[in-house]
Structures are given as C-alpha cells and as structure tokens.
Amino acid sequence: SCSASDVCVTKYVWKRINESINQFMDMLIYRFDLANYHNLKEISETQLERYHRIVMEVEQRYSEKLELEDIAQKEFIGRNYISQFWKNMTNMNFTEYLNSRRSEKAEKFLLTTDKSINEISLVCGFSDPKYIYKNFRKWYEKTPSEYKK
C-alpha cells in the first residue's frame, strides 16, 4: 500500500519527467529543423541563427504580404545573397517555403473553423483565393474543398 508521501513523490517524479520531456522537445525543435533535415552539411551557428530569425519572421507575418527584400533589409544583406542562403539551407526558394507555411496554416483553419475558403485564403496571406487552390493542391494533392470533406 502507498502512503501519502509515496503519492507526493510519484507526482513529483512525473512532473520532473514532463519537464524533461518538454525541454528535450524544445531542444529537438530548435536543433532539428528544416535546414538540418534537408541539408546534411555542417551549418555555422551564425547561419543557424539567421535561419531561425527568418523562420520566426515568416511565422509572425505569413498572413501579410511578405517579400524576401523585406527580410534581406532586416538582415542587412542583399536580396541575391539571402535568396541563395535560403535555397542552400532549405532546398526550396523563399516563395515556395512561404506558400508551404501558408498552406499548412490553411489546413489548420480548414479543420478547426467554419470559415469559407475565401476567408481562409485571406487570413493565411494568399493575395487571391486562386492561389490557395494552386498551393494547397501542390502540397496536399487535393483542393481545399476536397481536403475538408
């Protein structure tokens, strides 16, 4: 039989395990990312930091008109340099990456809201609803309407 102190110890142990798992997951998410997955060569800390800043910029501004020139300015580098940097890190151009993230966000809205596809298109940063159809089909091999069914 267990005493009250055993229950407290068990709760404490489970809490510590959960904290450790969360720390481990955070580390994996930070270290194992698209750049490392697609590009097995060594990436410098400076490059990794720049990559993460760009990813965070996309996450915060995917719903807006977001251009590579804007990010190049923020990073104090040229557009051609950042374009090559991004392609080398991810094996896709910036627009492809941005549209893939927008499509993932659209998928979430399709599955969790009753918004129309036109509304989702605008919320996710597609300038015209035809682009959500084009990009969604590219990444999911279905139209948003077919996917929602």
Side-chain angles (χ1 to χ4, degrees), residues 128-139:
D128 188 296
K130 69 182 175 192
Y131 295 123
I132 193 174
Y133 283 93
K134 177 184 172 188
N135 285 286
F136 203 89
R137 183 181 287 276
K138 176 181 179 177
W139 296 104

Side-chain angles (χ1 to χ4, degrees), residues 4-54:
S5 64
D6 289 336
V7 171
C8 289
V9 169
T10 302
K11 283 182 181 180
Y12 173 78
V13 168
W14 279 110
K15 183 179 178 189
R16 295 288 301 161
I17 289 171
N18 269 339
E19 288 170 358
S20 295
I21 289 171
N22 287 334
Q23 288 173 344
F24 182 68
M25 292 301 292
D26 287 345
M27 184 187 72
L28 279 178
I29 290 167
Y30 180 75
R31 286 289 173 197
F32 185 83
D33 53 37
L34 191 63
N36 286 322
Y37 178 73
H38 284 295
N39 191 344
L40 298 177
K41 67 184 177 202
E42 191 65 30
I43 299 169
S44 75
E45 194 67 29
T46 304
Q47 288 177 318
L48 195 58
E49 287 171 3
R50 172 170 284 148
Y51 168 79
H52 283 289
R53 283 193 304 271
I54 295 169

Side-chain angles (χ1 to χ4, degrees), residues 50-113:
R50 172 170 284 148
Y51 168 79
H52 283 289
R53 283 193 304 271
I54 295 169
V55 167
M56 291 308 298
E57 186 77 14
V58 169
E59 288 304 303
Q60 292 168 1
R61 297 185 50 208
Y62 71 88
S63 63
E64 305 169 20
K65 182 177 181 181
L66 183 58
E67 308 238 349
L68 197 55
E69 289 82 8
D70 302 333
I71 294 173
Q73 268 187 332
K74 269 190 157 177
E75 290 292 318
F76 303 105
I77 55 178
R79 189 212 182 280
N80 289 340
Y81 179 86
I82 199 166
S83 178
Q84 277 303 120
F85 167 81
W86 192 258
K87 183 80 171 174
N88 289 336
M89 292 291 278
T90 65
N91 291 332
M92 65 174 81
N93 70 42
F94 180 75
T95 302
E96 286 175 314
Y97 175 76
L98 178 58
N99 286 329
S100 75
R101 295 302 296 140
R102 286 176 171 163
S103 295
E104 287 176 33
K105 301 293 183 180
E107 176 193 30
K108 181 180 174 189
F109 281 109
L110 282 169
L111 297 174
T112 62
T113 71

